[in-house]
Amino acid sequence: MADNNSDPDCIFCKIVAGEIPAAIIFETDEVIAFMDAFPSSKGHALVIPRAHHPDVFEMPPSLLAICAQASQRLALASRKALQPDGMTVTQFNGAAAGQTVFHYHQHVTPRWEGQPRRSHGEHMADPEELKAIAAEIRAALD
Ligand code: AMP
Ligand code: ZN
């Protein structure tokens, strides 16, 4: 059965619906990968399921696996395009754990030696710059 879960008040559901803009890197029937608008480093991107599920506790296991595979595909392309020293692939569950958007998502964040990580959600990036980085990562996708 198709998973059409959606929440009209959810900002990521609005991205899925095309109601608000995002610098999209790639999309499939199940997931969308796009640039984080308040990046904690250059290339900080997110993978979300199209269907609204708040957190890891609520995610259908099969969709969780699809998100993990999409995160790996994104991480490989991001590494190839941006050549960071490392990459974090992470996600938060619950406000106490740092979650601010309650639609499941994985952060894929390139990291460079000696460059302290900005707290995510702090500094809004230039949308045109995000589109340019999204295009660089997209060009490196396998
Ligand atoms: P979390 O703290 O794990 O819930 O992270 C939510 C992430 O979503 C933060 O890194 C925000 O910068 C990011 N974010 C919030 N709104 C948007 C948006 N409209 N487009 C892209 N990223 C967003
Ligand atoms: Zn949602």
Side-chain angles (χ1 to χ4, degrees):
M1 199 172 72
D3 181 351
N4 292 322
N5 275 15
S6 188
D7 174 345
D9 298 323
C10 168
I11 190 128
F12 287 175
C13 284
K14 289 182 179 160
I15 289 176
V16 171
E19 289 167 13
I20 62 165
I24 292 177
I25 303 163
F26 67 85
E27 45 190 327
T28 71
D29 286 349
E30 291 97 359
V31 302
I32 305 183
F34 57 95
M35 304 309 298
D36 195 297
F38 302 81
S40 65
S41 77
K42 181 183 176 186
H44 180 176
L46 303 171
V47 171
I48 67 167
R50 286 185 185 277
H52 180 91
H53 299 284
D55 52 33
V56 73
F57 306 113
E58 308 281 339
M59 275 286 278
S62 57
L63 191 53
L64 202 56
I66 289 168
C67 283
Q69 286 170 12
S71 290
Q72 185 191 38
R73 183 172 180 226
L74 172 59
L76 285 164
S78 182
R79 184 177 66 167
K80 196 165 159 188
L82 305 177
Q83 308 201 339
D85 299 316
M87 184 84 63
T88 63
V89 179
T90 190
Q91 60 89 217
F92 308 116
N93 302 285
Q99 187 176 12
T100 58
V101 177
F102 295 90
H103 178 131
Y104 181 87
H105 54 280
Q106 293 181 349
H107 297 259
V108 176
T109 315
R111 302 292 308 278
W112 283 266
E113 296 287 357
Q115 201 173 93
R117 182 178 174 278
R118 280 195 298 269
S119 192
H120 70 294
E122 234 171 41
H123 147 91
M124 188 165 176
D126 171 4
E128 290 307 312
E129 209 171 294
L130 291 185
K131 278 191 209 160
I133 301 170
E136 269 186 71
I137 299 174
R138 191 181 315 114
L141 282 170
D142 279 327

